[in-house]
Amino acid sequence: MGRIFVKQSALRITLQTFVELEGIISAVIRYKKPNGRDGEFSAAVGDVEKGVIFHECLEGEIDISGWWVFWAFVTFADGRTASGEAAKVYIWKEGSG
């Protein structure tokens, strides 16, 4: 994978939950920014059996350089939840590297 830059919007974040996603009612990609702030992006299911979810980034969502942490979080209709393993990704300032 190439480098990811601040303000990049041609970007799909894809994560695997390692659980079958049959019967989920919501999927999000949670994150922690380099400045310590956290939040989440809405996500769609990419592969139910393999447990893959993804988010198509919008302009301005990736707004700070440094180490970001992303992880999947899904909620099933019966109230159960599942988290995926965290992925640490460095976001570069445009023109650097």
Side-chain angles (χ1 to χ4, degrees):
M1 174 203 294
R3 292 186 175 184
I4 300 170
F5 294 94
V6 172
K7 298 183 183 176
Q8 185 171 335
S9 60
L11 175 66
R12 174 185 275 195
I13 300 171
T14 303
L15 297 172
Q16 189 166 6
T17 64
F18 298 101
V19 296
E20 187 174 314
L21 300 177
E22 187 69 39
I24 68 164
I25 58 171
S26 71
V28 295
I29 294 176
R30 292 184 172 174
Y31 60 80
K32 183 171 288 285
K33 294 182 179 186
N35 63 6
R37 292 197 174 156
D38 55 5
E40 61 187 31
F41 299 132
S42 61
V45 175
D47 189 316
V48 171
E49 291 178 2
K50 293 182 180 177
V52 177
I53 65 171
F54 68 91
H55 172 74
E56 299 284 351
C57 289
L58 302 173
E59 187 173 337
E61 286 183 326
I62 305 298
D63 59 353
I64 186 171
S65 64
W67 286 104
W68 286 60
V69 180
F70 299 99
W71 66 96
F73 188 84
V74 295
T75 303
F76 292 87
D78 63 4
R80 293 175 301 133
T81 60
S83 295
E85 293 181 25
K88 196 171 183 181
V89 178
Y90 194 83
I91 306 296
W92 296 84
K93 290 182 183 177
E94 184 179 350
S96 66

